Each structure stands twice: as C-alpha cells, then as structure tokens.
Amino acid sequence: MIKEIQLRVNLIEERKENILRFKASKELKIAIAEISGIKVLRKSIDARKKDIIFNYKVTVYINEAIPEKSDYNFDYKDVSNANEIHIIGFGPAGMYAALRCIELGYKPIVLERGKNVRDRRRDLRAINQHHQVNEDSNYCFGEGGAGTYSDGKLYTRSLKRGDVRRIFENLVYHGATEQILIDAHPHIGTNKLPKIIQNIRETILKFGGEIHFETRVINFIIKDNNLQAIQLQNGKEMTVNSVILATGHSARDVYELLHQKKVALKAKSFAMGVRVEHPQEIIDQIQYHCKGDRDSLLPAAAYSLVQQVNHRGVYSFCMCPGGFIVPAATANGEVVVNGMSPSKRNNKFANSGIVVELDIDKDFKKYEHLGALKGLQFQKDLEKLAYTAGGKNQTAPAQRLTDFVEGKLSNSLNDCSYQPGLKSSPMHSLLPKIIGGRLRKGFAAFGQKMHGYYTKEANIIGVESRTSSPVNIPRNDNLEHPVIKGLFPCGEGGGYAGGIVSAAMDGERCAEAAIKIGNY
C-alpha cells in the first residue's frame, strides 16, 4: 500500500533519527515496522512564528518496496546523420532545446558567441580584477548563459508551460543533487552548475550534436520572409531550415539586427532598480526570530517583498542568501549588477534586487521615436549613468540604504561582496524619479514589514537593470515568428521566460515546434 501524507516537524524533532517514520506511523495509525520506506516529495520551512516548522510532503510505502528508478527516461539517440536544427545561444533554453532535439531524433547545431565554462572563468576574473569586459564572454554570455554563474535558483511559477519535474530530473541525470526534487525553493549553486553544464555539453556531443563556441551570428539571410541562412562573424554562411533563437535577454546586437532588417519586434514592459545587500545575520535574525547565529539546521534566510508605490509594484528579485554581488555588464562603458550564491549559501552577506515595474506604454515618452527598442535604450542610458557615477570602470555607485531613503550622500559605505568595489554616489538623485522615488518609498515600507531591514548596515548598489528583456520577439501559437518562417524566438531573449526552469521548458517546446512544422 502507498499513502501520500503531510507531516510537520519542529526543530527539536528534526534532529531525531527516523522522525519521519515515527510521525508517519502516528498519522496513519500503523506500526513503524509496517513502513518499508518513506520518500520525501517536498520539504519547506514555515518560519512565520517563533516555533519554526519543517513541512514535509511524503509518500509512505507500507509493506511495499520503494521503486529505485526515476519516472523519467531520457532516450537520447545517435543523431550524427540526422536532419539539422540550428540553435543560437547555449543558455538554459538552448541547452534544453538541443537535448530535446536529440531525444526526438534531430541533430542540434548550437552556435554560442561565448566560451565554454572553463575558459569563461578567465574573462570573469578580468571583469572583477581589471574592470575589463569581454563583450562575448562575461556573466551573461558563454556556455550555460547567465544561469551558469548565478544561484542556480530553480523555482518557477510557469507551471502551465511544461513539465517542471522533467526539467529537474534531467538536471539530476546530469549531476545535480536529488535535493532539488524535494526543496520547495530548490537551488544548485554557482560552484556546482558549471560541472552540470559541462555534462550536458558532453551528452549533446556524445550523441552527435554540434556545439560551436566563440561563434557569433551577425546576420540573417531572409528571402520572401523565409529564413534561409545565417552569417557568422568569421564570414562563414550556414544554410538553415529551422532556427531556435535562444540568445538571452542581454543580446542587444540581435535585437538591433532584427530591427534593422525590419523583422517585427515589440517593446515590452520590464523592471529596473538596484541591489541591496545586508549582513546575512540581520536577515537570519529577522526571518528566524533569533538572536545571534541561526540554528545549524536552518539554511541562510531568504525573503520576498512587494509593495505598491504610486500604482507600480516595487519588489525583491533574484534574492541571494549567503551570496555575492557580481558585475554583469556585457560591454565596456556600462555598469550592471546581479547576484549569485554558492550551493552552501555560506557567504556573510545577503543580497537581492529591489526593482520597480516600468510600463512600456507610459514611462518612455522621450524614447518613443525608437519604437520597439525604446525600453532597451532607456536601459542602456541608466547603465551608462551608473558607469559614470562609479568612476568610469566597473566600480559600482552605492549608498547606505538609510542615506538613500533620507536623500543624503553617504560619508562611508559598509563592507560589500562586490569585488570591483564601490563608490559613494547620490543614488537618490541619480536614478530617474520613476525608479528612485518609488524605491525610496518601497524601502521605507519594507522596513515596516521586516523590522530591522531598514538599517544603515545595508548598502544599495546600482544598477539592477537586466531583470528581463525590454524587447519581445513575437511568435504565433505554433511558436514560429508570425512573419519570418523558420525562426523560433525562445526563452528569456524572446520574452517568453523568466529564469532557468521556464527557459528550459520553453527550449523544449520550441524544439518540438521546429520539428513539427519544419520542412524536412
């Protein structure tokens, strides 16, 4: 017999051996000896009250063995001589599109402008230590995309887009811990993601796919609204049938190329703001109602905040407990910040984007003449402003949180995880009013919701500008561009995803669509 039940375990009980068997026997009113095994399906923490509870969703096997095999079988085929599908970009969308092509018997030809994960590290070091940005190899571009050097957060609300469990199981198949199948808010960690991504690359190559690094696409050859070929930076031209465009939300040259060729694009609403960084101990004490260090059984505390300010949402984005702030610029002459965490989330700082919703139809009157690229130009201008305010290198403009809200320049800044360094700047006056004014009110409100959050021990660092794409590449219900046949906009770059998992699901869907309607 198999039963699925919910169990609640407090901190004291969590330390006891076989506590789940004991709790399950009480809940089901059976002897412990009758329980042959328990499989944890989901685990979450309820820290709303002082007595912290672990919530478990479990399957109890009563006089029955636990099945050892996964419900998923990834049937990869040799596609060395199969029909080809070209994929531009090797982030989560591109990777999962390639894997799905192989499952369905098609050969993926992947073109990635950046380097593999190992070689990419040198360029990240150059950004952090020497303030030099390689425009093709950075925190956004390269094997695994922006997700490689991030927290590896796998939480998604995109439950209607595909099989979330299948995405997780595939990550486990390629080396991720099975804990991601259990945690309510799973993450892998920036220290472990590169190996998993390398394993995915090896699978694709093993079964006959191709991956070409340091290969940037610079032109699309379109005739009679049919995509016929793509041109590479090295001058080579490749004839194509179906192209999955999975270039990520920071491939501005792709948007500009499509716009120049009069391929239909749409301006899209997005959000911008800053990163805020607190000592992790402060967030732990607020969330876990403790004094001093948190209990050893508890992970570094996270938070999620939202406040309506002048009819716009101000909210936390990509919160990284025990993490680092990193320079995410994709060109010299701009400063962009993002966050990441190692698997143990054991750094002494907690950081999060705090961003403001921007309405593409109301907030960009000055940029209307740019059409579909108006939000993109606004984004660029704010990043250039941050570059100038930071000292015209990757040093980021920053301010103590309380000084920002009170509108005064910080005489000194707190220690920070951002390696290129900080420069005290009047962010309260530098940021456009539609962002800065709302952020100041939002932070004050957050201080009321989380007592201790509003503190001079926190810094704000600018700018957090790459939350999502400011451009949408339209597509029909069949996922093909409505005008250009053979072009399948995909993932975050197309405006159809908002993280690793939703991008991966969209990659699979685009692979299936390209195969279904391609002329093979």
Side-chain angles (χ1 to χ4, degrees):
M1 184 186 301
I2 300 173
K3 292 280 188 180
E4 192 174 288
I5 60 173
Q6 306 277 348
L7 299 174
R8 289 169 57 82
V9 179
N10 64 35
L11 269 172
I12 295 174
E13 294 170 330
E14 181 74 5
R15 288 186 163 82
K16 296 180 179 178
E17 191 175 353
N18 294 324
I19 187 61
L20 294 182
R21 283 177 180 265
F22 176 78
K23 288 266 186 178
S25 71
K26 293 292 185 183
E27 177 72 19
L28 297 173
K29 298 180 173 58
I30 60 174
I32 291 179
E34 293 183 66
I35 299 176
S36 50
I38 291 180
K39 183 177 182 180
V40 178
L41 302 177
R42 184 68 64 192
K43 180 182 179 182
S44 62
I45 297 174
D46 184 350
R48 290 174 294 179
K49 297 180 180 178
K50 192 170 184 180
D51 293 329
I52 296 171
I53 298 294
F54 294 89
N55 289 314
Y56 285 92
K57 181 181 179 182
V58 301
T59 299
V60 183
Y61 293 83
I62 304 166
N63 298 318
E64 188 169 332
I66 297 180
E68 294 182 4
K69 291 186 178 181
S70 165
D71 294 334
Y72 294 84
N73 178 33
F74 299 102
D75 183 20
Y76 297 119
K77 305 171 176 66
D78 184 353
V79 295
S80 303
N81 300 310
N83 290 322
E84 298 174 353
I85 292 179
H86 290 76
I87 300 167
I88 305 176
F90 198 51
M95 287 191 300
Y96 271 80
L99 290 171
R100 189 64 179 139
C101 284
I102 293 173
E103 281 188 283
L104 297 174
Y106 287 74
K107 181 177 181 174
I109 308 292
V110 180
L111 309 170
E112 167 56 51
R113 69 191 296 166
K115 300 177 183 178
N116 65 47
V117 286
R118 183 174 180 177
D119 293 341
R120 193 177 170 189
R121 289 193 182 109
R122 298 189 190 98
D123 297 311
L124 303 186
R125 192 178 305 118
I127 300 173
N128 281 298
Q129 296 180 4
H130 307 299
H131 302 240
Q132 297 171 354
V133 180
N134 181 326
E135 297 189 4
D136 288 320
S137 179
N138 44 61
Y139 277 98
C140 291
F141 300 145
E143 186 174 20
T148 302
Y149 295 99
S150 71
D151 189 52
K153 285 179 283 292
L154 303 177
Y155 180 70
T156 182
R157 293 183 176 89
S158 303
L159 302 179
K160 295 181 181 179
R161 297 188 184 186
D163 189 342
V164 175
R165 178 78 179 193
R166 173 184 159 82
I167 302 300
F168 286 8
E169 291 274 9
N170 202 312
L171 287 168
V172 172
Y173 177 90
H174 285 101
T177 171
E178 291 191 357
Q179 193 65 33
I180 68 172
L181 305 175
I182 295 170
D183 290 342
H185 289 81
H187 72 105
I188 294 174
T190 189
N191 54 319
K192 294 187 175 181
L193 273 166
K195 178 58 178 174
I196 295 165
I197 288 164
Q198 181 181 323
N199 291 342
I200 290 174
R201 179 219 308 164
E202 290 171 356
T203 293
I204 293 168
L205 296 177
K206 175 183 176 182
F207 289 96
E210 294 181 14
I211 303 171
H212 302 272
F213 293 112
E214 298 183 70
T215 304
R216 194 205 300 187
V217 174
I218 62 167
N219 198 12
F220 299 102
I221 310 302
I222 301 169
K223 293 183 180 179
D224 299 325
N225 290 333
N226 283 285
L227 181 55
Q228 296 190 346
I230 51 180
Q231 187 178 351
L232 308 181
Q233 192 175 27
N234 62 12
K236 183 179 177 180
E237 194 172 292
M238 303 178 77
T239 301
V240 298
N241 187 310
S242 297
V243 172
I244 296 172
L245 190 62
T247 48
H249 60 44
S250 291
R252 291 168 168 171
D253 58 319
V254 173
Y255 299 134
E256 289 163 355
L257 172 63
L258 294 172
H259 189 64
Q260 178 187 341
K261 298 182 80 69
K262 301 190 185 318
V263 174
L265 300 174
K266 294 180 181 177
K268 173 180 156 292
S269 294
F270 60 109
M272 294 178 70
V274 296
R275 277 262 144 194
V276 62
E277 184 171 73
H278 292 77
Q280 180 64 50
E281 185 179 42
I282 289 178
I283 304 302
D284 289 342
Q285 290 172 358
I286 295 170
Q287 298 295 73
Y288 293 141
H289 323 286
C290 63
K291 295 181 179 179
D293 295 338
R294 67 179 184 273
D295 191 285
S296 60
L297 289 179
L298 297 172
Y303 61 82
S304 178
L305 292 165
V306 63
Q307 180 71 29
Q308 286 293 313
V309 178
N310 299 336
H311 310 292
R312 299 293 170 78
V314 178
Y315 59 92
S316 56
F317 171 83
C318 184
M319 197 274 145
C320 297
F324 305 84
I325 298 177
V326 297
T330 52
N332 290 291
E334 62 189 31
V335 165
V336 181
V337 293
N338 198 358
M340 70 178 191
S341 296
S343 57
K344 292 183 179 180
R345 289 180 165 172
N346 56 356
N347 189 40
K348 63 180 182 179
F349 295 108
N351 72 78
S352 178
I354 303 295
V355 296
V356 178
E357 289 179 331
L358 300 175
D359 188 322
I360 202 67
D361 297 318
K362 297 179 180 179
D363 296 333
F364 302 95
K365 300 302 182 185
K366 174 184 172 183
Y367 298 86
E368 285 296 333
H369 63 287
L370 297 173
L373 302 187
K374 58 184 176 180
L376 180 62
Q377 188 59 50
F378 178 86
Q379 195 183 57
K380 280 185 178 182
D381 286 351
L382 199 56
E383 292 168 5
K384 290 175 182 176
L385 179 66
Y387 176 78
T388 301
K392 295 188 176 181
N393 51 34
Q394 286 302 305
T395 301
Q399 198 169 5
R400 287 182 186 255
L401 173 58
T402 48
D403 290 340
F404 173 69
V405 174
E406 294 167 17
K408 59 185 181 182
L409 184 68
S410 298
N411 293 324
S412 64
L413 296 169
N414 300 297
D415 289 341
C416 180
S417 66
Y418 184 73
Q419 286 189 31
L422 305 178
K423 181 180 179 182
S424 180
S425 305
M427 300 286 283
H428 59 279
S429 60
L430 289 174
L431 290 170
K433 188 176 180 181
I434 57 172
I435 296 175
R438 289 184 171 93
L439 283 176
R440 292 168 73 183
K441 291 181 180 179
F443 277 123
F446 294 161
Q448 296 296 316
K449 294 180 179 183
M450 288 178 63
H451 298 294
Y453 183 91
Y454 181 69
T455 171
K456 65 180 181 180
E457 294 183 62
N459 291 328
I460 65 157
I461 300 100
V463 288
E464 173 83 34
S465 52
R466 308 285 180 95
T467 59
S468 64
S469 172
V471 180
N472 169 246
I473 307 174
R475 65 190 188 189
N476 290 328
D477 291 342
N478 64 9
L479 309 189
E480 189 176 32
H481 190 276
V483 178
I484 308 302
K485 302 303 179 186
L487 180 64
F488 295 84
C490 182
E492 290 199 34
Y496 300 102
I500 292 173
V501 176
S502 57
M505 288 191 291
D506 202 55
E508 289 203 332
R509 293 177 65 219
C510 285
E512 292 164 2
I515 289 167
K516 183 177 180 181
I517 66 176
N519 184 25
Y520 294 101

